[in-house]
Amino acid sequence: MILFLDGGYTQTAGNEACAELIQECTQKEALVSVKIEENMDWNRVFRDLEDADAIVLAADVYLDSVPSFVLRFLEKVEQAVIGGESIGGRFYAVLYTELYEGEQTSVAMEVLKNFCVHANITWGRGLGIGGNKIETLLRKDSFWGRLHKSTSDFRTASLQEHALFIREKIQGTDVYIKPEEVSRKGYIRKINQKMKKSNRVKFAQNECKLQKN
């Protein structure tokens, strides 16, 4: 059984969700998806962790770390293991970042590896995906979207490869990817333009509210 831990990752627009793609690539193997939240059924979580042959965590990375609630979840699991629980499944990570380079997830990846050491869980493989804002920039009816129509799918091949390691329960070298079809300069320029437009819209909305009051 594969235990998929949803750590609040950003799903890829125009692509299958991470869990669905892994399920497809691992064929008929059972996949149990658990969303990491503040209040969880820990008895169920511990049962799933014990039964899992592979554990997959998907999460966004901000400021070199996964979200705080994910860290608290990992601490709880670590404490349970120290208390006598047994976890035999290999641990795999899929980390997303809005920054262009997938390597920007490497610090967070080391945090997860450190967790595995302390929780006595075997590390399987990590996949760091950069350029996670790319789907918000591309539209099929726009020039940018037509020019880079394959960009929104740049994650697929790497996710499929990652799923093969998960299916076979084997270790591998961590991989970091970025949207090669779009330059770093072009990506950042588009992100900044979108942010400026969003700020202008918010400013206009606030002005309307003030005028009404």
Side-chain angles (χ1 to χ4, degrees):
M1 183 265 279
I2 297 172
L3 177 60
F4 184 87
L5 300 173
D6 180 351
Y9 70 103
T10 303
Q11 295 185 0
T12 305
N15 236 339
E16 292 181 277
C18 183
E20 293 176 356
L21 194 148
I22 290 173
Q23 175 72 91
E24 178 185 326
C25 294
T26 50
Q27 299 172 350
K28 296 182 179 179
E29 185 165 1
L31 185 145
V32 175
S33 182
V34 174
K35 187 172 180 61
I36 299 177
E37 300 173 314
E38 294 296 343
N39 298 313
M40 303 184 68
D41 181 352
W42 283 102
N43 288 328
R44 179 202 166 188
V45 171
F46 290 141
R47 286 197 303 270
D48 289 338
L49 285 168
E50 287 182 349
D51 294 340
D53 299 308
I55 302 162
V56 183
L57 171 66
D60 285 331
V61 171
Y62 301 102
L63 300 176
D64 290 335
S65 181
V66 293
S68 58
F69 65 89
V70 175
L71 292 176
R72 288 193 292 271
F73 171 86
L74 297 177
E75 289 174 0
K76 183 86 172 180
V77 172
E78 184 179 327
Q79 291 168 2
V81 172
I82 293 174
E85 297 289 341
S86 176
I87 300 177
R90 291 186 185 273
F91 194 97
Y92 299 85
V94 182
L95 299 182
Y96 296 88
T97 177
E98 294 180 2
L99 300 176
Y100 181 74
E101 299 87 356
E103 287 83 356
Q104 298 288 349
T105 66
S106 61
V107 174
M109 203 74 76
E110 290 302 319
V111 170
L112 297 181
K113 289 182 179 180
N114 189 55
F115 154 75
C116 287
V117 170
H118 286 87
N120 196 27
I121 302 174
T122 302
W123 178 261
R125 187 175 187 261
L127 173 62
I129 301 176
N132 203 43
K133 275 285 189 178
I134 199 74
E135 67 272 10
T136 67
L137 306 180
L138 301 179
R139 291 185 178 179
K140 293 180 180 179
D141 58 348
S142 68
F143 172 75
W144 180 267
R146 292 194 300 272
L147 187 62
H148 301 291
K149 61 182 179 180
S150 64
T151 303
S152 60
D153 297 328
F154 78 97
R155 309 165 184 82
T156 304
S158 295
L159 280 168
Q160 289 173 335
E161 180 187 41
H162 199 50
L164 294 178
F165 282 85
I166 296 168
R167 186 184 72 189
E168 301 300 325
K169 316 300 185 298
I170 56 177
Q171 290 178 296
T173 303
D174 300 336
V175 174
Y176 301 95
I177 65 170
K178 60 186 178 183
E180 297 285 358
E181 293 88 351
V182 178
S183 69
R184 184 178 187 275
K185 182 178 179 180
Y187 177 74
I188 294 174
R189 183 175 67 250
K190 285 291 181 179
I191 290 292
N192 290 337
Q193 288 174 352
K194 187 174 182 63
M195 288 180 62
K196 289 178 181 178
K197 181 178 179 180
S198 177
N199 289 335
R200 287 197 299 268
V201 170
K202 289 179 181 178
F203 180 79
Q205 290 174 341
N206 290 335
E207 283 292 309
C208 288
K209 288 180 181 179
L210 289 174
Q211 290 175 4
K212 288 180 180 179
N213 294 333

